[in-house]
Amino acid sequence: MAQPEREHVSGRPVLAVDIGGTKMAAGVLAADGTTAVDRRLPTPPGVGADAETLWSVLVGLVRDVLDAAGRPRLAGVGVGCGGPMTWPAGAVSPVNIPGWRGFPLRARLAAEFPGLPVRVHNDAVCLALAEHWRGAARGHSHALGMVVSTGVGGGLVLGGRVVDGATGNAGHIGHIVVDPAGPICPCGNRGCLEIVASGPAVARWAAGQGWRPPPGTAGSARDVAAAALAGDPLAAAAFGRAGRMLGQGIAMAVTLVDVSVVTIGGGLAQAGDLLFGPLHTSYAQFARFRYARAARVVPAALGASGGLVGAAALILAGDRYWNAD
Ligand SMILES: [Zn+2]
């Protein structure tokens, strides 16, 4: 059953920000979640990008997008950022942005926008919220939203509301173990979903099995997908393995939390049946109960705009998606 929609009533637009290791995006989104203006920039990489350099790039991007939108009166500022972070305080230490360690992102933005609500959540949670609010999980009260790209992340909506957990970290499905004998994950475990089923994991496994990228390509997961579609059995096997691991992990999660839909976005999901075929087969094998078998595992609907839509939803549908001060 769909939850009754209780949308933000002011009708004012929202400034949405999506910060990841490779890009920063900002947009002004109308109260219905449609994008009025958006802009994106590469995130200044690695060494040399100290905390204040990163901040000034972000502030410039935000000013640019607000100018382009005609400096509207805003309802608030919603932000999705790579984790980990302290939540709800929003001091961020994104794994892929070494210049920010304990950076007080929420507090700094609040100082830029006095009097407005500023809310910061994990970027994978924002993607899950976007799919629930305006994407492939719309109308479902219970949903798991996942992203499978450079990493594997997720967010949970149960009873129509986001599940934050005790520390804002609920939904970290990328670090459940699906292969205890598998490769070591940066988190310290062996065989986490992220280290066996992310884009880089697919490319690494294929290379480890002797697959050689066609001349002129980098051997990324996208190249592996192209080779698989062209009939390369080793490349197809790399996606088969990732799909099976995802199906196993998702079946375990759905057995625990009893959602009716699981959405999968991110670059690897673009591989379509190469990934979803073995994923669905494995899911059916590991989901032992009727309620879990009934859940649908589907591609996300929103694509690259999902991060901004989910960040905006923290403000625009805030009483469902934001449970903190
Ligand atoms: Zn891990």
Side-chain angles (χ1 to χ4, degrees), residues 243-309:
R244 284 194 304 279
M245 294 295 181
L246 284 165
Q248 177 185 336
I250 293 168
M252 300 297 95
V254 173
T255 301
L256 179 67
V257 294
D258 191 12
V259 294
S260 54
V261 68
V262 180
T263 63
I264 304 184
L268 212 66
Q270 305 303 311
D273 285 347
L274 273 180
L275 186 74
F276 281 90
L279 190 161
H280 285 140
T281 303
S282 165
Y283 184 85
Q285 178 192 343
F286 284 98
R288 303 309 301 175
F289 295 99
R290 184 178 297 186
Y291 70 87
R293 284 172 178 264
R296 294 188 305 123
V297 184
V298 300
L302 294 175
S305 68
L308 290 179
V309 172

Side-chain angles (χ1 to χ4, degrees), residues 174-175 185-189 192 194:
H175 297 278
C185 179
C187 81
N189 269 332
C192 290
E194 178 161 301

Side-chain angles (χ1 to χ4, degrees), residues 66-301:
L66 290 175
D67 286 344
R71 290 266 152 192
R73 210 166 149 223
L74 296 169
V77 180
V79 183
C81 184
M85 68 179 66
T86 62
W87 182 91
V92 303
S93 310
V95 174
N96 296 325
I97 308 179
W100 277 354
R101 287 295 172 265
F103 183 76
L105 179 63
R106 190 179 176 204
R108 295 287 290 268
L109 283 167
E112 289 282 314
F113 297 94
L116 285 183
V118 175
R119 294 167 179 171
V120 179
H121 219 318
N122 188 289
D123 54 358
V125 171
C126 287
L127 285 170
L129 297 181
E131 290 299 322
H132 183 251
W133 192 45
R134 290 292 181 260
R138 192 171 186 174
H140 290 259
S141 290
H142 312 284
L144 168 64
M146 290 179 63
V147 55
V148 183
S149 118
T150 316
V152 176
L156 268 172
V157 172
L158 296 178
R161 306 181 73 89
V162 65
V163 176
D164 300 303
T167 65
N169 281 296
H172 266 78
I173 192 169
H175 297 278
I176 65 170
V177 172
V178 289
D179 180 10
I184 294 175
C185 179
C187 81
N189 269 332
R190 270 186 190 278
C192 290
L193 211 39
E194 178 161 301
I195 202 71
V196 298
S198 63
V202 166
R204 203 164 42 236
W205 187 86
Q209 298 294 308
W211 180 78
R212 291 294 166 258
T217 70
S220 68
R222 186 187 297 252
D223 300 324
V224 181
L229 287 171
D232 184 324
L234 202 49
F239 275 90
R241 176 172 176 274
R244 284 194 304 279
M245 294 295 181
L246 284 165
Q248 177 185 336
I250 293 168
M252 300 297 95
V254 173
T255 301
L256 179 67
V257 294
D258 191 12
V259 294
S260 54
V261 68
V262 180
T263 63
I264 304 184
L268 212 66
Q270 305 303 311
D273 285 347
L274 273 180
L275 186 74
F276 281 90
L279 190 161
H280 285 140
T281 303
S282 165
Y283 184 85
Q285 178 192 343
F286 284 98
R288 303 309 301 175
F289 295 99
R290 184 178 297 186
Y291 70 87
R293 284 172 178 264
R296 294 188 305 123
V297 184
V298 300

